[in-house]
Amino acid sequence: MNLETVAGGVLLYLERYVDEGAKNYSPFAARTEVAPQYRPRSNEPSFDLITVQAPHDRVSVFQADPPKSLVDYYVRADVVRFVVHPETWDSEGEYLDEVHALPRGPSIQVAPTASTRTVLALEPAGGVPPHFIKLHYPRRISRFNRRLRRKNIHNSVAVTRDLAQVRSDGFAYLPDSLGFVFGDTDTSWGFLVRERMPRPWLRGRSLIPGFALYAGDFKHPDDPPLLVQLIERLGAEPASFVIDNIMIPLVQSWAKVARERGILLESHAQNVLLEIAPDFRPCRVVHRDFDVWIDSEVRRRNGLDAPFLGVTIGSDSGHSIEQHYSLVYDRFLGHEFFDYLLALLQRSYGVDVEAVRERVMAAFHRAFPEADRFFPKRTMFYFSNEPQPGNDFTLVDMEKVPEWR
Ligand SMILES: Nc1ncnc2c1ncn2[C@@H]1O[C@H](COP(=O)(O)OP(=O)(O)OP(=O)(O)O)[C@@H](O)[C@H]1O
Ligand SMILES: [Mg+2]
């Protein structure tokens, strides 16, 4: 991928093909049970999502301040446009018989993003803002079965609503501003609509997914990584460029959201995007994917309600507060993002690895002064390598000193 074309709306290409060498952060990272034609790497430019016309009384709708035109596209006067992934449609599962029996609506042409189950609507009808659709996809992709149930949909929209309260110049996010759930039980499922434009919106910016900064381009293997192209184009000092524009802003916004709202954003390389201006200067780190764990005790202390379902760390997860903070910061931000950026800096520019870590650690402790009360002392926790039934997970003590705090 040539940097000069990034501004030309190539986000989808970056999502699909610029992830060579990025999926080795765990033994499960590259696994998928999804049929080849629906994987991001497929050569199919698009596929069709199935829609049915669902009665209003069978669908719950969740909203986080979506534009009216987006609501009107999915919520019709007489029915709801309910969207199903074709591979889910062809399977068996709860509510599917009822969904199959509903009248079909027009299909929606989409292409997959890096997460596979979140797709980009390619030609939304006139006036409908560009958006992604995150789907119920009961197949294992990397470690987890990608069901999207009532709880996941409710929480993603509730967290989106909550993030509107975060006031910081450096903080931006892709809102999961609409959610749809079919049926009335805990195992009900549905889809989310995620806007393509970050909130707050700034004109003329482009987005590069975190992993596409350092990964290889599957179709153009000789192109240098975009991060290297950015550094060269701007004539920047490599280590400071990454520390000041990516790592420290991400640490600051992650810590702010955790400390103020009790929301533990899972800011790994697929869940954050770097926003750049037309002159290629980095502007903000943009967050996505709000199906996350919550520290309800922090919210209680800060006088906030907790309008979420079953995602309180400790009581709902069976894992300690320390284990969650370590998993999310040490492993998702640290290992699944920063380690890759640092490895590229070392490979390409021979930077002093310890000096980079020290600057980020200092920024972390400035941003999270009481971190010792939340994090385990001299170790990190990560998923066990033993597969667990369903989406259960076990966190194990790595007996390794944290490298980014
Ligand atoms: N570099 C990467 N780091 C982490 N995950 C990646 C990366 N590249 C692709 N992925 C894929 O992205 C998904 C990450 O899981 P995660 O739960 O964050 O996303 P999701 O909830 O499925 O979708 P979304 O991020 O669109 O909300 C996995 O399917 C994983 O295989
Ligand atoms: Mg994600």
Side-chain angles (χ1 to χ4, degrees):
M1 169 57 59
N2 182 332
L3 178 65
E4 303 296 328
T5 62
V6 163
V10 292
L11 176 60
L12 198 53
Y13 183 87
L14 302 178
E15 291 276 346
R16 296 187 64 175
Y17 303 114
V18 185
D19 71 339
E20 194 63 9
K23 293 216 285 192
N24 50 12
Y25 49 85
S26 95
F28 295 90
R31 295 194 195 174
T32 181
E33 293 176 354
V34 162
Q37 68 267 37
Y38 303 124
R39 297 180 191 173
R41 279 282 181 90
S42 94
N43 270 323
E44 304 296 328
S46 67
F47 62 88
D48 283 344
L49 296 182
I50 292 167
T51 74
V52 293
Q53 299 172 17
H56 283 281
D57 63 3
R58 295 299 286 147
V59 181
S60 315
V61 182
F62 301 85
Q63 302 196 26
D65 202 14
K68 183 168 181 305
S69 53
L70 202 53
V71 182
D72 290 348
Y73 180 72
Y74 287 98
V75 185
R76 322 291 300 175
D78 43 349
V79 288
V80 173
R81 203 189 289 263
F82 188 79
V83 184
V84 186
H85 192 285
E87 201 175 6
T88 304
W89 178 269
D90 287 338
S91 347
E92 292 185 355
E94 206 156 358
Y95 294 105
L96 266 171
D97 287 345
E98 192 182 343
V99 171
H100 285 162
L102 294 169
R104 293 277 285 263
S107 53
I108 300 178
Q109 197 192 10
V110 298
T113 66
S115 87
T116 308
R117 54 122 159 219
T118 300
V119 298
L120 181 67
L122 290 185
E123 286 172 8
V128 179
H131 60 279
F132 301 93
I133 304 169
K134 181 167 176 173
L135 295 148
H136 176 65
Y137 205 163
R139 298 284 182 284
R140 233 170 240 276
I141 304 171
S142 68
R143 187 177 298 270
F144 295 111
N145 182 305
R146 303 293 169 166
R147 292 184 284 256
L148 197 66
R149 289 189 164 153
R150 171 176 294 276
K151 164 181 137 166
N152 313 100
I153 293 168
H154 170 108
N155 291 333
S156 299
V157 176
V159 168
T160 298
R161 267 202 302 272
D162 207 74
L163 291 176
Q165 308 307 316
V166 176
R167 297 276 171 243
S168 159
D169 285 347
F171 183 70
Y173 58 101
L174 299 184
D176 285 335
S177 62
L178 272 172
F180 298 88
V181 177
F182 190 91
D184 36 31
T185 60
D186 287 348
T187 54
S188 297
W189 51 269
F191 64 100
L192 285 160
V193 175
R194 173 178 302 159
E195 291 172 43
R196 161 76 176 73
M197 301 304 174
R199 284 189 200 167
W201 186 70
L202 298 171
R203 184 180 295 279
R205 310 292 173 92
S206 309
L207 295 175
I208 303 176
F211 58 82
L213 289 164
Y214 53 76
D217 182 337
F218 176 59
K219 298 197 174 188
H220 305 96
D222 294 332
D223 285 356
L226 283 173
L227 180 64
V228 170
Q229 295 187 54
L230 273 175
I231 289 169
E232 305 300 328
R233 179 72 160 66
L234 296 169
E237 196 285 304
S240 315
F241 180 82
V242 171
I243 295 170
D244 294 331
N245 292 296
I246 304 172
M247 291 174 167
I248 291 184
L250 179 50
V251 166
Q252 287 173 336
S253 51
W254 183 85
K256 183 176 174 68
V257 172
R259 294 173 71 234
E260 291 180 6
R261 318 294 307 178
I263 295 172
L264 300 185
L265 292 174
E266 299 186 355
S267 312
H268 57 56
Q270 184 270 330
N271 282 344
V272 297
L273 307 98
L274 182 66
E275 185 186 53
I276 57 171
D279 64 0
F280 300 104
R281 293 201 180 274
C283 310
R284 302 179 296 186
V285 175
V286 176
H287 295 256
R288 66 175 160 193
D289 188 352
F290 304 132
D291 190 6
V292 297
W293 292 95
I294 307 286
D295 187 340
S296 297
E297 180 56 22
V298 166
R299 294 186 68 87
R300 194 191 57 73
R301 276 202 300 271
N302 292 346
L304 303 172
D305 59 352
F308 312 107
L309 302 175
V311 278
T312 296
I313 55 175
S315 61
D316 291 326
S317 72
H319 299 285
S320 70
I321 307 276
E322 292 78 21
Q323 290 174 353
H324 277 282
Y325 276 80
S326 175
L327 172 70
V328 173
Y329 179 81
D330 296 331
R331 307 309 295 170
F332 290 170
L333 275 80
H335 179 58
E336 297 187 10
F337 191 20
F338 292 178
D339 281 356
Y340 284 91
L341 292 169
L342 185 57
L344 177 59
L345 285 176
Q346 189 181 21
R347 215 163 54 235
S348 304
Y349 302 104
V351 302
D352 178 346
V353 166
E354 281 314 312
V356 173
R357 289 208 186 101
E358 275 167 26
R359 276 204 58 203
V360 175
M361 280 185 201
F364 170 77
H365 288 285
R366 275 195 305 276
F368 207 142
E370 70 289 32
D372 289 352
R373 296 215 309 271
F374 293 83
F375 284 84
K377 279 235 155 18
R378 288 186 55 76
T379 193
M380 304 187 275
F381 285 83
Y382 194 56
F383 298 117
S384 109
N385 281 336
E386 303 299 318
Q388 307 288 316
N391 276 348
D392 291 348
F393 61 92
T394 306
L395 298 178
V396 291
D397 187 343
M398 299 181 69
E399 299 180 3
K400 245 180 108 185
V401 177
E403 287 162 330
W404 295 99
R405 70 172 160 93

